[in-house]
Amino acid sequence: MLSVNFIPFPTLFSERLIYREINENDVEQVFQLRSNPENMKFIPRPLLKNHQDSLEHIKMIKEKTTNNEGINWVVCLKDDPKMIGLVGHYIIKPEHYRSEIGYMILPEYHNKGYVTEAVKTIIDYGFNVLNLNSIEAVIDPLNMASEKVLQKNRFIKEAHLKENICFEGSFLDSIIYSLLKRNYK
């Protein structure tokens, strides 16, 4: 079985971005990211209502990292430590050498290639540091931007699940994309 340990927290770097550990100073950006209905329209989770909700979300992210259940990075531009998004291996299944990734970025940073760059960085970390065999992403079928990010990073569509998620009284479809280590490079 895969063994993971995120202590000390691994800071990552890519061409334009830095990936660091989340902290309470990120509360405003977490709130902006997860309270915005437009930004959350493809994510079946409740909107954050206040800064206390943001602090609880930060606490949950930190606990998952401490417990080696997942790892999430704050995405920052190299010349500015302010959070512009989140990216990570949200769920790690060590018995299957598989993780599920997720990513979000503030709207003012959309369409600049930052998410594609961030996903590429955490894929590299997943295969070359964590020694994963496969990485998946679960997306809403209507989220074309997310689908493009995955396709640019060589993910393959594995399944279209019909009405497999119930959120706020509605049944939603989801699509699973994956990338195997042997197809990575």
Side-chain angles (χ1 to χ4, degrees), residues 7-181:
I7 300 171
F9 188 89
T11 300
L12 305 178
F13 302 88
S14 61
E15 182 182 347
R16 301 176 294 165
L17 304 170
I18 295 175
Y19 311 85
R20 64 166 172 81
E21 188 170 14
I22 197 165
N23 63 61
E24 288 73 20
N25 294 328
D26 300 311
V27 67
E28 179 59 36
Q29 286 76 31
V30 169
F31 182 72
Q32 288 176 20
L33 195 62
R34 297 194 64 102
S35 67
N36 179 332
E38 183 63 21
N39 217 40
M40 293 290 290
K41 72 180 174 184
F42 297 122
I43 300 174
R45 301 284 184 276
L47 295 175
L48 299 184
K49 293 179 179 56
N50 52 48
H51 284 113
Q52 185 58 43
D53 287 351
S54 296
L55 289 169
E56 289 298 318
H57 190 73
I58 290 168
K59 181 180 174 190
M60 180 268 306
I61 289 172
K62 290 176 81 65
E63 285 175 357
K64 285 180 80 170
T65 304
T66 301
N67 296 333
N68 296 312
E69 297 168 358
I71 184 166
N72 299 281
W73 289 270
V74 166
V75 180
C76 305
L77 299 175
K78 276 194 173 175
D79 60 356
D80 186 354
K82 186 177 109 179
M83 177 182 137
I84 67 165
L86 290 168
V87 64
H89 294 272
Y90 283 80
I91 300 170
I92 297 175
K93 300 172 187 170
E95 68 278 15
H96 301 300
Y97 292 74
R98 187 170 175 104
S99 78
E100 179 181 336
I101 62 168
Y103 39 88
M104 293 184 74
I105 196 160
L106 290 166
E108 58 266 34
Y109 298 96
H110 287 184
N111 302 311
K112 297 181 186 329
Y114 294 134
V115 175
T116 300
E117 183 176 333
V119 168
K120 180 180 178 186
T121 302
I122 67 164
I123 290 169
D124 184 70
Y125 181 85
F127 288 137
N128 294 316
V129 177
L130 294 179
N131 197 32
L132 296 170
N133 182 60
S134 63
I135 298 173
E136 71 180 36
V138 180
I139 65 169
D140 184 297
L142 300 176
N143 192 344
M144 299 304 177
S146 188
E147 185 174 51
K148 286 179 185 177
V149 164
L150 296 170
Q151 290 170 345
K152 286 178 187 176
N153 279 290
R154 303 182 62 207
F155 278 69
I156 303 297
K157 183 177 176 179
E158 278 191 352
H160 185 138
L161 305 174
K162 300 288 188 178
E163 298 183 5
N164 67 312
I165 297 170
C166 183
F167 179 66
E168 296 181 340
S170 296
F171 293 98
L172 310 171
D173 291 5
S174 62
I175 294 180
I176 299 173
Y177 272 83
S178 75
L179 179 62
L180 296 175
K181 186 173 188 174

